[in-house]
Amino acid sequence: MQEDHVELKGVRFMEERIDRNLTISTVVIETENGAKTMGKPKGTYITIEASNMDEEDEDYHREISVQLAKVIKKLLPKHKEEMSVLVVGLGNRDVTPDALGPRVVDNLFITRHILKEYGKYAFGEGKVNRISSIVPGVMAQTGMETAQIIMGVVKELKPDCMIVIDALAARSTARLANTIQLSDTGIMPGSGVGNHRNAINDRNMGVPVIALGVPTVVDAATIVGDALEGLLDSMDYSRRKQVVQDFIPESMSRMYVTPKDVDELVKRISFTISEAVNISMSQK
């Protein structure tokens, strides 16, 4: 849209440059025609590009956490001062590139059980959000659809909203491990690697759903396409990927690649995200 100076009716684009390493881009799809053109449901889509997020930092990139917390607060429902929020860590804890969601949940400040037992004054504050979490695992571990497990928890807890965190598959090698993507339209677990499951969105869950993810893997076709970008730059992403998929062997097209230091990357990024969620849930 920017490069071609195109304006799409029903679609708004905004970009805010925080510093030389941090840019926040927002796409708001307001109409059904805009949704059809973009190939995505109506809603808000936010991308935080942090070029240094994959680098080691003693504070786990506190500056990124602060900006991410501001974005999360913008997406949270505004109808209540004190909210009940369910944080869901999607993914397989035993597969490092897919362990981002569970790792984030491990570092959250959970308050629901304390508030239920002792009340909000246990924190010495007048207003405290009720935070609970779940790591539902994957179907191969549980034999159940992830969405079904979450629906059962939502039915019992009746939260005001959900924050769903998952690892993503990148559509560009440049986005691998240095972008954070958010939306208020939910998420479909496994779709990035062609393993489609039931969608986790407000329609299915009955409560607002904020989806948050970081790309930790990229498929072989994308890597080849990016390498040949100069030769195929006249094609859009979908066409370029199709050409590459037709060219490379079928066995390679099913291959997904992750950085060699993915264990450290997931550890650091999970701290960055969990700190952002903790900040966004604070009433201070």
Side-chain angles (χ1 to χ4, degrees):
M1 290 169 64
Q2 283 183 307
E3 291 173 359
D4 298 335
H5 303 287
V6 174
E7 289 189 12
L8 297 178
K9 291 184 178 179
V11 179
R12 289 189 291 115
F13 175 79
M14 296 155 284
E15 185 175 83
E16 180 183 7
R17 190 171 184 83
I18 306 301
D19 59 42
R20 64 186 182 88
N21 294 317
L22 194 60
T23 303
I24 301 176
S25 306
T26 303
V27 176
V28 183
I29 303 176
E30 300 174 316
T31 65
E32 292 296 342
N33 285 338
K36 186 176 180 180
T37 302
M38 298 293 287
K40 292 181 178 292
K42 287 194 301 182
T44 301
Y45 300 84
I46 300 173
T47 300
I48 299 176
E49 299 177 60
S51 60
N52 62 338
M53 190 168 69
D54 58 350
E55 299 174 3
E56 189 172 356
D57 179 58
E58 289 184 0
D59 292 329
Y60 295 102
H61 296 290
R62 173 80 179 184
E63 72 284 359
I64 299 175
S65 297
V66 170
Q67 293 301 323
L68 176 56
K70 292 179 181 179
V71 172
I72 294 173
K73 282 187 175 182
K74 289 180 182 179
L75 295 176
L76 287 170
K78 304 297 190 295
H79 62 283
K80 284 189 175 183
E81 290 188 358
E82 294 179 279
M83 291 186 297
S84 173
V85 181
L86 173 63
V87 182
V88 181
L90 296 180
N92 188 340
R93 189 186 293 275
D94 297 326
V95 179
T96 305
D98 197 32
L100 181 68
R103 293 280 187 90
V104 170
V105 167
D106 288 345
N107 297 293
L108 290 180
F109 181 40
I110 304 300
T111 60
R112 182 179 181 273
H113 61 302
I114 300 175
L115 292 170
K116 190 175 180 181
E117 184 73 21
Y118 303 106
K120 58 189 176 183
Y121 297 105
F123 296 96
E125 298 177 13
K127 298 175 183 178
V128 182
N129 290 319
R130 298 185 302 281
I131 313 303
S132 53
S133 68
I134 180 176
V135 178
V138 294
M139 182 177 280
Q141 297 170 322
T142 65
M144 295 177 282
E145 281 278 359
T146 301
Q148 292 177 329
I149 297 173
I150 299 171
M151 282 180 194
V153 175
V154 169
K155 185 177 180 180
E156 180 69 25
L157 296 187
K158 297 179 175 59
D160 296 311
C161 74
M162 292 168 50
I163 299 175
V164 182
I165 301 165
D166 199 6
L168 308 177
R171 294 181 64 172
S172 166
T173 52
R175 287 178 172 256
L176 198 60
N178 59 26
T179 59
I180 304 172
Q181 299 173 22
L182 303 97
S183 80
D184 58 5
T185 60
I187 192 170
M188 186 175 292
S191 59
V193 293
N195 189 20
H196 297 275
R197 297 299 179 198
N198 291 338
I200 301 171
N201 54 29
D202 56 356
R203 179 182 298 178
N204 290 340
M205 298 294 141
V207 298
V209 176
I210 299 170
L212 188 161
V214 175
T216 58
V217 299
V218 62
D219 63 75
T222 296
I223 295 174
V224 176
D226 285 354
L228 299 176
E229 186 174 2
L231 298 176
L232 305 175
D233 59 3
S234 61
M235 301 179 185
D236 61 21
Y237 167 79
S238 299
R239 177 59 181 154
R240 186 167 70 239
K241 186 172 182 179
Q242 186 60 52
V243 169
V244 172
Q245 285 178 332
D246 292 341
F247 171 74
I248 66 176
E250 184 179 350
S251 59
M252 188 181 292
S253 67
R254 298 194 303 267
M255 187 180 297
Y256 287 84
V257 183
T258 190
K260 65 179 181 180
D261 58 342
V262 67
D263 50 348
E264 281 299 314
L265 281 174
V266 169
K267 177 184 176 181
R268 292 198 297 267
I269 294 172
S270 66
F271 272 115
T272 301
I273 295 174
S274 61
E275 184 66 10
V277 175
N278 288 334
I279 294 171
S280 68
M281 293 295 107
S282 172
Q283 290 283 3
K284 294 180 180 179

